[in-house]
């Protein structure tokens, strides 16, 4: 059974600091997705990582995928308050089926 | 362009009643998913539709849950004899299986409260 674990589950950080969120999964997969969810809102797609070594960057967020280690990271650079949200990774199992991580609730303090 | 829409946005129902939730996917998207998200938790896969193929119902938690999809368009998720543990946000997503990635686009969700 494919399991997807994120850590930390909760993260409180100061503005301007850097931090990394980790997404580990238990079986082979070549596709991984990161989503953002604001309180009371739906999920917004951030990154699609389709192969080993893939790296994507958007603003202060950078995501990478290591399929051999079954690990993806979401790195936050110089955090700002607007990044406060819950971040989910999702791993594709077989074709079309996705298993979501438990989410990382990020709070950036001014 | 139009995104995924869901209705109603909120639904309060009494225990034991049936409810029907609706999802309109992005036009042309052949894949459609239903997920459940309990308060403060991650997404739980419920069911997946792909074109005219038989749906993957492996995530439905009990036989009180069922879903239908009309061709490659609207889908309805029905919960019969609702229980309090059914209270959650139900999210629908669609994707273009013909694309390079199978990125999902989510609707705003339906918040179901069973009293």
């Amino acid at each position: 059974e494919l399991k997807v674990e994120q850590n930390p589950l909760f993260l409180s950080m100061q503005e301007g600091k850097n931090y990394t969120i980790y997404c580990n999964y238990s079986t082979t997969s070549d596709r991984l997705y990161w989503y953002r969810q604001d309180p009371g809102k739906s999920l917004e797609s951030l990154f699609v990582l389709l192969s080993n070594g893939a790296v994507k960057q958007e603003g202060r967020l950078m995501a990478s995928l290591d399929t051999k280690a079954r690990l993806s990271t979401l790195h936050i650079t110089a955090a700002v308050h607007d990044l406060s949200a819950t971040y989910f990774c999702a791993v594709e199992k077989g074709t079309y089926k996705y298993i979501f991580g438990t989410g990382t609730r990020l709070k950036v303090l001014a | 362009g139009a995104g995924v829409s869901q209705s109603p946005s909120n639904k309060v129902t009494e225990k034991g009643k049936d409810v029907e939730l609706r999802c309109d996917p992005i036009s042309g998207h052949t894949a459609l998913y239903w997920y459940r998200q309990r308060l403060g938790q991650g997404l739980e896969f419920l069911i997946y539709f792909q074109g005219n193929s038989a749906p993957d119902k492996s995530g439905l938690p009990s036989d009180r849950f069922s879903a239908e999809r009309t061709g490659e368009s609207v889908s309805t998720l029905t919960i019969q004899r609702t229980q309090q543990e059914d209270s959650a946000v139900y999210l629908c997503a669609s994707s273009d299986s013909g694309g390079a990635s199978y990125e999902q686009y989510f609707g705003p969700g339906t918040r179901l409260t069973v009293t």
Side-chain angles (χ1 to χ4, degrees), chain A residues 2 5 18 20 23 38 53-54 56 59 61 66 85 100 108:
Chain A
L2 174 58
E5 294 182 347
N18 304 333
T20 300
C23 174
D38 291 292
K56 295 278 185 75
L61 301 177
D66 181 342
F100 280 76
V108 180

Side-chain angles (χ1 to χ4, degrees), chain A residues 74-91:
Chain A
L74 180 65
H75 187 72
I76 304 158
T77 301
V80 293
H81 180 71
D82 285 352
L83 289 179
S84 297
T86 298
Y87 293 85
F88 291 95
C89 63
V91 177

